[in-house]
Amino acid sequence: MAVDLALAVTRPIAPVVALVERGRLRAFARAIGETDPVHTDVDAARAAGHPDLLVPPTFFFSIELEADPPLGWLTDLGVDLRGVLHGEQSFTYHRDVHAGEEIECRRRVSDAYAKSPTRDFLVKRTDFLRAGELVAEAEAVVIVTAL
């Protein structure tokens, strides 16, 4: 099933708001093999000049998973999730984020194109904001294959 590419770039995606919690940061840091204690030890983070635990690299992606359902933006487009592949993902960081802060994710499909009759590509951009301030950006390429 082909994705309606015109609809993909115009259909709004509901924002996600999540509180960054210490326990979640610690678990994420361990899961990615991050050993810098500024991500897992409050005293070490404060000694390094941070007000609380520092968000590890790529943590922002996990905030998007707070959406219910996490991939609803794809199923809303009629995408069968069995045919979805992760193409690539990149992050741009503007400000440090710490435990105890609330982050809003504003998502949109910025580009959609077909490379073949059986493969569509969706480029999703996400802005991560703290009290309206842009703290990070992410871009993900999702490949939708025909089943």
Side-chain angles (χ1 to χ4, degrees), residues 7 13 16 21 30 49 58 67 69 79 81 91 98 101-102 106 112 115 130 133 145-146:
L7 176 63
I13 303 173
V16 177
E21 300 168 335
R30 289 184 183 111
T58 71
V79 171
L81 297 179
F91 294 88
H98 302 92
E101 297 178 337
E102 188 173 85
R106 294 184 186 164
K115 280 198 172 180
R130 174 185 51 212
E133 174 190 29
T145 62

Side-chain angles (χ1 to χ4, degrees), residues 77-114:
L77 292 170
V79 171
D80 184 333
L81 297 179
R82 295 175 300 166
V84 171
L85 301 171
H86 177 74
E88 65 181 57
Q89 189 166 29
S90 62
F91 294 88
T92 302
Y93 302 96
H94 302 289
R95 302 278 186 269
D96 287 342
V97 173
H98 302 92
E101 297 178 337
E102 188 173 85
I103 299 298
E104 177 184 8
C105 306
R106 294 184 186 164
R107 306 170 294 164
R108 66 191 178 285
V109 175
S110 61
D111 196 10
Y113 52 92

Side-chain angles (χ1 to χ4, degrees), residues 4-117:
D4 183 333
L5 301 176
L7 176 63
V9 295
T10 58
R11 186 179 182 96
I13 303 173
V16 177
V17 178
L19 178 66
V20 177
E21 300 168 335
R22 286 179 179 165
R24 190 169 168 187
L25 289 182
R26 288 182 182 112
F28 189 87
R30 289 184 183 111
I32 64 170
E34 179 57 64
T35 58
D36 189 333
V38 298
H39 305 293
T40 56
D41 182 301
V42 175
D43 291 336
R46 289 184 176 148
H50 298 285
D52 209 307
L53 297 181
L54 178 65
V55 167
T58 71
F59 175 80
F60 291 105
F61 173 72
S62 72
I63 295 174
E64 290 188 66
L65 299 177
E66 294 287 324
D68 186 23
L71 298 175
W73 68 278
L74 284 170
T75 56
D76 287 348
L77 292 170
V79 171
D80 184 333
L81 297 179
R82 295 175 300 166
V84 171
L85 301 171
H86 177 74
E88 65 181 57
Q89 189 166 29
S90 62
F91 294 88
T92 302
Y93 302 96
H94 302 289
R95 302 278 186 269
D96 287 342
V97 173
H98 302 92
E101 297 178 337
E102 188 173 85
I103 299 298
E104 177 184 8
C105 306
R106 294 184 186 164
R107 306 170 294 164
R108 66 191 178 285
V109 175
S110 61
D111 196 10
Y113 52 92
K115 280 198 172 180
S116 77

